[in-house]
Amino acid sequence: RDQGKPIALARAVDIPRAAANFRYFAGAILHNTEQASVMPEGAINYSYRTPVGVAGLISPWNLPLYLLTWKIAPALACGNTCVAKPSEL
């Protein structure tokens, strides 16, 4: 009976990638960019980096840990609270 991914593959691929996601977004919040930029059409694009509150995150079935950390790391880095729903498989 198929029970999912082998532990050795998860340790070699998924867990290091998940940790790299947290490291990437932890470093990304340290580098501020301009708060406003001019668009080609002459419009101005404003960026507000404020928490929005609670983020609901749904993890897919194919790469649940890796893709969940790709969602949860930036949400936490911006100061949001996260509620994660794992895949049903």
Side-chain angles (χ1 to χ4, degrees):
R1 190 168 134 153
D2 185 17
Q3 295 293 321
K5 185 178 289 196
I7 293 175
L9 183 60
R11 285 183 180 154
V13 178
D14 290 355
I15 295 172
R17 282 183 172 180
N21 284 343
F22 281 103
R23 285 189 195 102
Y24 173 78
F25 286 106
I29 62 171
L30 299 176
H31 306 287
N32 291 332
T33 59
E34 300 274 333
Q35 292 297 322
S37 58
V38 178
M39 303 301 290
E41 301 82 25
I44 297 176
N45 185 12
Y46 291 99
S47 298
Y48 294 106
R49 291 177 177 83
T50 57
V52 294
V54 179
L57 310 172
I58 300 174
S59 176
W61 62 270
N62 53 353
L63 291 169
L65 178 64
Y66 174 62
L67 294 177
L68 179 64
T69 60
W70 191 253
K71 294 177 179 185
I72 201 168
L76 290 175
C78 291
N80 294 301
T81 302
C82 297
V83 176
K85 178 194 173 294
S87 172
E88 295 188 12
L89 291 179

